[in-house]
Amino acid sequence: MQQSAEFAELRRSFRSFAFPLTVAFVAWYLLYVLLSNYAGGFMGTKLFGNINVAFVFGIAQFVTTFLIAWWYSRHAAAKLDPKAEAIKSRMEGGA
């Protein structure tokens, strides 16, 4: 089954979504860490009240994490799950 065209397409669909998004998120996270380490003045810049750039970036990390999880859930339901279900039913005797 792993050698089938269907399975290869399922893997390609997953990888084309997951890998670029993972690289982008890790880069975004490393930017936050590097700025926190080496650009303390910038990160300490107050935006309003006691809210500074570092706090906004930190909250944005959580927001992007949840957005990526939501986006992946939608992608999986629309693209991956139907292909996986077709493969599963074929393996269970529908071939």
Side-chain angles (χ1 to χ4, degrees), residues 6 21 24-25 29 41 47-48 62 66 74 78-79 81:
E6 284 177 300
L21 211 53
F25 183 78
Y29 176 73
L47 299 175
F48 48 90
F62 285 102
F66 288 111
R74 288 181 46 102
K79 305 263 179 169
D81 292 347

Side-chain angles (χ1 to χ4, degrees), residues 9 14-15 44 46 62:
E9 177 57 32
F14 170 74
R15 288 178 177 171
K46 290 193 184 245
F62 285 102

Side-chain angles (χ1 to χ4, degrees), residues 6-70:
E6 284 177 300
F7 191 77
E9 177 57 32
L10 175 62
R11 286 178 45 196
R12 193 172 18 263
S13 293
F14 170 74
R15 288 178 177 171
S16 68
F17 183 87
F19 287 166
L21 211 53
T22 300
V23 168
F25 183 78
V26 168
W28 161 233
Y29 176 73
L30 289 176
L31 174 68
Y32 174 65
V33 170
L34 290 172
L35 286 174
S36 294
N37 240 354
Y38 299 109
F42 169 70
M43 294 297 270
T45 303
K46 290 193 184 245
L47 299 175
F48 48 90
N50 287 328
I51 306 298
N52 61 16
V53 173
F55 182 76
V56 171
F57 272 37
I59 295 299
Q61 290 288 317
F62 285 102
V63 171
T64 55
T65 299
F66 288 111
L67 284 174
I68 289 170
W70 171 77

